Amino acid sequence: CSQCDLHQLNQKRSETMYFALRTLTSLTHENASAAEQMKCTYARNCYTSKAEGDTTTILGIDVLAKLLCKLEESQSLCSNKSSRTVVPSLKRATDHDMYRYDCTLFCLTTFANVIEGAGIRRVLIEIEVVLQSGSRVLWVEWLCQWLVHQTDSFREEILSIGASGSNKNPNGVQNIAKPGNNSSNDTNNEHDKEFHKHEEEKLVAAGNGCVVLACLLTESDDDDPEFSITVRKLIKNQMPLYKDGSPSGFALIVNTLKAYCNYYQISMGQVSFTVVAPVKKLIEELEDIIKFEESAGRPSNLL
């Protein structure tokens, strides 16, 4: 699938990819052996060439990283009204986008599952992906840029969480994904519901992306502490600025995770504990990193 044009409708491929990624997510949960296999190199025959002994090597974590990039680089078939006039079946297009969205979440969850594996973080930091524009970027840089894009419509609210007097709700989720029109008109109300759902989906996706980034930031490397500093600097350099032009540091990541937790608590109540508890632990670890940098004379938005 990472080699295919995922923008093309293909129900069988979408379903197969969905179940494969869901299974992979389950297999990698608290499974050090599975994480180890994800970073192993395997030989694969190249069926596109008839050259004798033509083989290539593949790395599970590399394939998954490139697949995630392709999933999100492929434009939604139902992203605007104009696309609805050219898609032969709106339901098929909707199903296609649903599978694509779910597969993105499975990829992100799998990354969060395996990052603790020995050497996984270093492999992820070195992976490059090719964008539709043809440019090559580090996968981690792409993930940061994707996060910034995911939060476009509510980034200011996210960045203002915790700011003095700027947000009555410390977790800020009420100010995110709110409908843009309170009109009683049925058409407008329906539009507002769709908009609200779209914002919630973006918050959930962004939250999962932030979990991966938080795992990269908080995972320690006792053998090479300088590597941890390199990872933090790499991620910080991709983060947006505040309105006044100052660097925001890890604020977007920490605050998105807070809003993500609050969303699940509001949506699922006590059942959300299994999702929220480990994320709150990541938030605490990130805030400890920020405090440590500040106490060492390095402001949280600088290194």
Side-chain angles (χ1 to χ4, degrees):
C1 289
S2 65
Q3 307 280 331
C4 299
D5 180 3
L6 296 179
H7 184 250
Q8 298 298 318
L9 285 171
N10 187 318
Q11 184 75 7
K12 184 176 180 180
R13 182 184 65 200
S14 294
E15 290 178 355
T16 303
M17 180 169 60
Y18 169 87
F19 287 115
L21 288 171
R22 189 175 74 173
T23 302
L24 183 63
T25 298
S26 297
L27 288 172
T28 54
H29 179 63
E30 296 182 352
N31 187 341
S33 177
E36 191 68 27
Q37 291 179 45
M38 288 291 289
K39 72 164 189 172
C40 290
T41 301
Y42 298 92
R44 181 182 65 177
N45 291 327
C46 290
Y47 298 106
T48 56
S49 172
K50 295 183 179 179
E52 186 177 352
D54 189 8
T55 61
T56 185
T57 57
I58 58 172
L59 196 70
I61 203 74
D62 181 74
V63 172
L64 195 65
K66 290 173 180 174
L67 175 58
L68 173 61
C69 183
K70 290 208 70 169
L71 283 165
E72 288 303 302
E73 285 274 294
S74 301
Q75 186 181 359
S76 168
L77 293 178
C78 295
S79 58
N80 52 58
K81 291 182 179 179
S82 62
S83 68
R84 301 189 180 201
T85 63
V86 297
V87 175
S89 167
L90 182 58
K91 183 181 184 304
R92 286 181 61 215
T94 302
D95 289 345
H96 174 84
D97 283 342
M98 179 190 70
Y99 281 123
R100 196 168 60 85
Y101 177 80
D102 288 343
C103 285
T104 290
L105 298 188
F106 286 137
C107 286
L108 291 168
T109 304
T110 299
F111 282 124
N113 287 346
V114 303
I115 283 175
E116 290 184 0
I120 292 288
R121 188 170 67 146
R122 191 174 292 274
V123 173
L124 276 178
I125 292 298
E126 295 174 352
I127 289 175
E128 288 187 343
V129 291
V130 180
L131 307 182
Q132 286 183 339
S133 63
S135 60
R136 298 179 69 91
V137 298
L138 289 174
W139 179 78
V140 173
E141 291 179 331
W142 171 84
L143 182 62
C144 291
Q145 293 165 13
W146 172 82
L147 168 64
V148 173
H149 177 69
Q150 282 292 115
T151 58
D152 270 347
S153 58
F154 50 85
R155 191 182 313 125
E156 292 305 322
E157 288 89 342
I158 286 285
L159 289 177
S160 69
I161 292 174
S164 177
S166 64
N167 209 317
K168 292 182 180 179
N169 173 16
N171 289 325
V173 77
Q174 273 91 346
N175 292 334
I176 301 167
K178 58 186 178 183
N181 192 329
N182 293 323
S183 168
S184 60
N185 181 276
D186 289 342
T187 303
N188 285 335
N189 285 340
E190 187 63 31
H191 171 75
D192 289 345
K193 289 178 183 177
E194 290 181 4
F195 179 79
H196 186 67
K197 183 175 183 296
H198 178 68
E199 295 297 285
E200 288 178 346
E201 288 176 349
K202 284 199 170 280
L203 176 60
V204 170
N208 278 272
C210 285
V211 168
V212 176
L213 290 174
C215 289
L216 288 170
L217 289 165
T218 57
E219 185 65 23
S220 62
D221 192 338
D222 295 333
D223 296 332
D224 188 3
E226 288 298 317
F227 182 69
S228 293
I229 295 176
T230 300
V231 173
R232 293 173 192 176
K233 184 181 294 186
L234 178 66
I235 292 174
K236 277 186 181 179
N237 287 343
Q238 300 299 320
M239 292 295 106
L241 302 176
Y242 284 119
K243 279 186 175 181
D244 63 4
S246 62
S248 63
F250 297 140
L252 181 64
I253 298 173
V254 173
N255 291 350
T256 299
L257 289 176
K258 289 180 178 179
Y260 174 76
C261 287
N262 204 25
Y263 168 77
Y264 268 100
Q265 287 173 326
I266 291 171
S267 303
M268 301 171 61
Q270 292 183 344
V271 182
S272 67
F273 177 78
T274 55
V275 175
V276 170
V279 176
K280 285 190 172 181
K281 185 174 183 297
L282 283 174
I283 293 172
E284 291 175 1
E285 290 177 3
L286 279 175
E287 290 180 333
D288 285 343
I289 290 173
I290 293 171
K291 289 176 184 177
F292 173 77
E293 290 183 354
E294 290 175 341
S295 66
R298 293 193 298 256
S300 63
N301 55 10
L302 297 172
L303 271 176

